[in-house]
């Protein structure tokens, strides 16, 4: 694979997922997802579609009010355009969507000569910034941060095609995914289970009108503990599994200084791929 293609694929995976995902109690207290192991009152082995939708709506309301959470995510991508995977941990917020995440165990980073084994990705102000490390600054004019704007590429650009080819659906903010799932006519109750060592979780899943599959496990406290969002478009399949904790965690995310960033389209030009 040519270096320019590696840059493109890595940037896509890192940029898209970070735009992505993961409450504070109504009384103002911070609470970790699944903090209580007691079964939810009235929870049964099987819930009707109406009951399932009601449970997901309740989780949507709590999540929306929380505005942020700590997350651990695993993204896997299959297909010809950008196969691979990465793991992300850190804090994400929504309304607006922001994130500050550590990236590791990434086949995308491993495929780029000089790229760091672990790095940081920040989403703020409708753009995503990837810390390229010192080893790649020679190719960026000395700039350390790669900036990718979700709406900045031309409509026919391959990056934009990949950003809108299913990866974006997998990385939408958590409340929006829950709201869409609650409104689905096919939301299904999976029954009780155990997630992250906590008992009393209830699982729900459904397919959204755009073909995206969403599965969520809600803890006994009513907060999401784990979600899986999967989609397929233009021959590319994506699966994003996210574990949540510490809803309402502080998420004071700031973009890197403009003088330390290089736009993705400018980087492509430097690499002879403009």
């Amino acid at each position: 694979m040519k270096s320019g293609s590696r840059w493109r694929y890595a940037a896509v995976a890192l940029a898209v997922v970070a735009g992505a995902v993961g409450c504070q109690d109504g009384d103002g207290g911070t609470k970790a997802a699944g903090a209580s192991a007691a079964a939810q009152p009235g929870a049964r082995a099987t819930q009707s579609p109406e009951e399932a939708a009601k449970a997901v709506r309740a989780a949507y309301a709590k999540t929306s009010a929380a505005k942020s959470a700590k997350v651990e995510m695993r993204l896997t991508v299959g297909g010809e355009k950008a196969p691979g995977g990465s793991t992300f941990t850190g804090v994400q917020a929504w309304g607006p969507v922001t994130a500050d995440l550590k990236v590791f165990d990434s086949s995308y980073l491993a495929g780029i000569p000089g790229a760091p084994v672990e790095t940081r990705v920040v989403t703020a102000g409708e753009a995503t910034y990837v810390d390229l490390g010192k080893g790649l600054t020679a190719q960026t004019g000395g700039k350390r941060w790669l900036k990718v704007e979700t709406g900045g590429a031309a409509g026919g650009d391959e990056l934009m095609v990949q950003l809108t080819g299913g990866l974006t659906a997998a990385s939408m903010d958590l409340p929006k995914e829950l709201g869409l799932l609650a409104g689905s006519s096919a939301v299904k109750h999976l029954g009780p289970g155990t997630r992250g060592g906590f008992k009393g979780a209830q699982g729900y899943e459904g397919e959204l009108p755009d073909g995206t599959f969403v599965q969520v496990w809600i803890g006994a406290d009513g907060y999401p503990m784990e979600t899986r969002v999967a989609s397929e478009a233009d021959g590319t399949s994506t699966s994003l599994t996210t574990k949540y904790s510490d809803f309402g965690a502080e998420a004071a995310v700031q973009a890197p200084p403009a003088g330390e960033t290089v736009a993705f389209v400018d980087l492509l030009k430097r690499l002879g791929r403009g």
Side-chain angles (χ1 to χ4, degrees):
M1 182 181 294
K2 296 181 181 180
S3 61
S5 297
R6 289 175 178 142
W7 273 100
R8 183 182 294 271
Y9 295 159
V12 170
L14 298 179
V16 177
V17 70
V21 282
C23 230
Q24 201 167 27
D25 288 331
D27 60 3
T30 300
K31 193 169 186 179
S36 170
Q40 295 186 51
R44 304 199 312 272
T46 303
Q47 297 176 15
S48 68
E50 293 76 14
E51 291 173 317
K54 182 178 180 180
V56 177
R57 282 197 299 271
Y60 160 80
K62 300 193 78 167
T63 301
S64 298
K67 299 187 182 300
S68 64
K70 291 184 179 179
V71 296
E72 178 181 334
M73 305 183 294
R74 180 63 188 175
L75 170 71
T76 57
V77 181
E80 297 182 356
K81 289 186 177 179
S86 298
T87 299
F88 305 80
T89 59
V91 178
Q92 289 193 340
W94 40 86
V97 173
T98 62
D100 191 339
L101 303 168
K102 172 185 174 182
V103 188
F104 58 98
D105 190 20
S106 173
S107 60
Y108 295 101
L109 292 177
I112 306 173
V117 176
E118 297 181 356
T119 191
R120 181 180 169 209
V121 61
V122 173
T123 296
E126 299 184 0
T128 294
Y129 304 83
V130 182
D131 186 349
L132 301 175
K134 296 181 179 179
L136 297 174
T137 55
Q139 300 184 60
T140 63
K143 307 296 181 63
R144 179 154 181 162
W145 290 87
L146 173 65
K147 179 180 180 180
V148 180
E149 297 186 63
T150 56
D157 186 89
E158 182 181 343
L159 172 59
M160 178 60 73
V161 172
Q162 294 184 47
L163 285 171
T164 59
L167 297 176
T168 302
S171 64
M172 297 296 287
D173 61 85
L174 177 59
K176 183 170 183 177
E177 293 294 346
L178 292 176
L180 291 172
L181 178 59
S184 170
S185 60
V187 59
K188 177 183 177 182
H189 180 226
L190 301 177
T194 300
R195 281 294 186 275
F198 293 100
K199 297 180 180 179
Q202 298 287 334
Y204 304 89
E205 67 180 16
E207 186 174 352
L208 306 183
D210 62 1
T212 302
F213 171 84
V214 178
Q215 182 181 96
V216 57
W217 287 87
I218 301 173
D221 57 6
Y223 289 92
M225 300 179 70
E226 182 177 304
T227 62
R228 177 175 174 261
V229 180
S231 61
E232 184 171 352
D234 298 330
T236 298
S237 62
T238 68
S239 177
L240 179 66
T241 299
T242 307
K243 297 179 180 179
Y244 303 91
S245 63
D246 295 335
F247 280 86
E250 182 178 357
V253 181
Q254 293 185 339
E260 298 179 12
T261 67
V262 57
F264 183 64
V265 291
D266 292 336
L267 176 60
L268 292 182
K269 292 178 181 178
R270 293 181 64 88
L271 296 174
R273 300 246 169 200

